[in-house]
Amino acid sequence: SMTVIGLVAFRASPIVAAAAYLAIRSVGTPIMGWLMMQKSSWLRFGWSHATVKCTKALAVPAIAYIAFPAGSVLSLQGMVLVISAVLGPIAVATFSTMRTLTRFGFQLMEAVKNSVWPELSAAYGEQNWALARKLHRVACQASLWSSIGTVIFLYFFGDRIVSIWTHGRIAMDLPAFHWLLLVILANSFWYTSSVVTVASNTHERVAAVYLVGTLASLFIARWLMPYFGISGAAIALLAIDIVVGWYVLSRSFTTLSENAGDFGASMFRLPELGLRK
């Protein structure tokens, strides 16, 4: 990724950047496979152990997982198209810039989610519910507080960052930006908590709700923007994140036999940061 970014920074064409990305993947994938076999001696590649039964069992979760990137595409690109149709290209530039800035918080959540995923899968497989609940709580706690820190920082410095970033060519829509900051907080809970269903291969319903919710946000934004401008798009994203968040948390609580009160209290207890089996 850094190589591709470097090429783009030096004004490489899209074809050159895509070719570099393909070359890196072509070399990196076999190396990754070799490293995996060195670390896990039981791992084997090939068709000899493949079965129709196993393929069928994995097919539904695999297809359902595609709903997450599909929903992200709808949310990111679909919203841009809706804004363009309703408010025009200037609004698109303003919204895209502000949302890209707020997506920094999402990257932190992505790091937290990916770090806890393997351990949570192992705890679920062992039916170690105490450890699974603790991992879930710590992940959500880390996402919540990193999101709060991100929101506070962007609230005070976001306008300045955009001014420097765009050389003063894009003016912030502060009301819309503040709504997008709330989206960071709403997203921090459901996105991180969704690791429970993904780690346990029970994410089909969550994926469907996310995809439908994302599609619904486009219609809500189309309805709100004539009245609230760019803020209408941000409000639509926030509303859907709240609904999806409630559903995801309820599913995670059910899977882990979690108590909502204990979970909420754990978000403000520092000892939860220490993991002990």
Side-chain angles (χ1 to χ4, degrees), residues 116-262:
V116 78
W117 188 341
E119 293 297 329
L120 191 53
S121 290
Y124 180 84
E126 297 171 356
Q127 296 188 352
N128 188 343
W129 304 121
L131 177 60
R133 284 191 292 269
K134 184 172 286 189
L135 287 167
H136 177 237
R137 292 177 183 182
V138 170
C140 290
Q141 186 183 53
S143 289
L144 173 63
W145 286 101
S146 64
S147 296
I148 290 174
T150 300
V151 167
I152 293 173
F153 175 78
L154 292 179
Y155 181 86
F156 289 105
F157 300 104
D159 194 5
R160 181 60 178 163
I161 292 172
V162 169
S163 178
I164 296 173
W165 180 18
T166 64
H167 302 285
R169 295 175 183 174
I170 293 180
M172 287 273 278
D173 184 321
L174 287 178
F177 185 65
H178 293 160
W179 282 110
L180 286 174
L181 292 181
L182 292 178
V183 171
I184 296 177
L185 294 177
N187 193 265
S188 68
F189 265 105
W190 84 257
Y191 186 78
T192 306
S193 183
S194 68
V195 72
V196 172
T197 56
V198 174
S200 59
N201 257 359
T202 57
H203 57 274
E204 291 93 338
R205 292 184 180 180
V206 168
V209 169
Y210 172 59
L211 187 60
V212 172
T214 303
L215 184 60
S217 71
L218 302 182
F219 289 97
I220 295 173
R222 173 66 182 83
W223 175 61
L224 290 177
M225 281 190 292
Y227 305 99
F228 301 101
I230 301 176
S231 293
I235 293 170
L237 291 172
L238 177 61
I240 294 303
D241 267 351
I242 291 173
V243 173
V244 174
W246 173 83
Y247 182 78
V248 170
L249 281 173
S250 65
R251 294 285 298 178
S252 297
F253 289 172
T254 299
T255 300
L256 301 177
S257 299
E258 176 68 275
N259 179 276
D262 292 341

Side-chain angles (χ1 to χ4, degrees), residues 25-47:
R25 279 299 182 95
S26 298
V27 175
T29 299
I31 293 176
M32 186 178 296
W34 179 79
L35 290 173
M36 289 172 62
M37 294 183 68
Q38 294 300 308
K39 187 171 182 62
S40 303
S41 58
W42 53 267
L43 187 64
R44 296 289 183 273
F45 292 101
W47 296 93

